[in-house]
Amino acid sequence: MGRWRDGTGVLRVAGGADVGIALEIAASYRTRTRGLLGRDGVQGALLLTPASSVHTFRMRFAIDVAHLDRELRVIAVTTMRPGRLGLPRPRARHVLEAEAGQMAGWGLRPGVRLVIEAGGREATGQDLRT
């Protein structure tokens, strides 16, 4: 698949329930910088790539944050209230954001692998070398 482009896709938890989660992909500098700022919520999740940390300054709601490695394996999941600065994760290559409480319902926890369908193609960590 090569490098990511801004757009939409579907997020699935590998080995989990076959539930497709709406996904926005922020791959350009401009869309990564904007992220969820100025929004009152998010439907599904937002993938920031490449990224290893996030902040919630000027955000209007709390978010769940999952740091992902090169293979789209979850390194850590945390909830951040508005006005916080998240520490960078050294092995993280992508960051997934969703409204607070959503990731637990999706079964996201450290060690879980994700699969992303974007542009009509399925992508795994092998496709995302950044």
Side-chain angles (χ1 to χ4, degrees), residues 1 7 15 34 50 76 87 90 104 115:
M1 180 169 183
R34 178 143 193 254
L87 296 175
V115 175

Side-chain angles (χ1 to χ4, degrees), residues 67-75 91-94 112-113 125 128:
H67 292 85
L68 312 175
D69 68 9
R70 291 181 188 266
E71 306 298 323
L72 295 179
R73 189 179 321 249
V74 177
I75 297 171
R91 291 184 7 241
R93 296 296 178 265
H94 318 281
V112 169
R113 268 193 134 147
L128 300 177

Side-chain angles (χ1 to χ4, degrees), residues 2-125:
R3 297 188 66 99
W4 285 109
R5 292 189 176 153
D6 293 341
T8 60
V10 176
L11 175 72
R12 298 188 190 282
V13 177
D18 190 22
V19 176
I21 301 157
L23 180 70
E24 293 179 52
I25 301 168
S28 69
Y29 176 78
R30 186 176 189 176
T31 57
R32 284 193 320 266
T33 302
R34 178 143 193 254
L36 296 174
L37 296 177
R39 298 188 194 186
D40 292 321
V42 61
Q43 295 291 47
L46 174 68
L47 177 72
L48 304 170
T49 182
S52 63
S53 66
V54 295
H55 68 82
T56 58
F57 298 121
R58 297 189 337 238
M59 289 196 56
R60 299 176 182 165
F61 57 98
I63 59 171
D64 283 344
V65 176
H67 292 85
L68 312 175
D69 68 9
R70 291 181 188 266
E71 306 298 323
L72 295 179
R73 189 179 321 249
V74 177
I75 297 171
V77 178
T78 187
T79 300
M80 295 177 65
R81 295 189 328 253
R84 303 287 183 225
L85 176 64
L87 296 175
R89 301 282 176 159
R91 291 184 7 241
R93 296 296 178 265
H94 318 281
V95 174
L96 187 68
E97 298 178 340
E99 286 193 32
Q102 292 294 308
M103 290 187 184
W106 299 335
L108 264 63
R109 62 188 179 288
V112 169
R113 268 193 134 147
L114 303 177
V115 175
I116 296 172
E117 298 169 6
R121 297 182 60 188
E122 186 174 294
T124 62

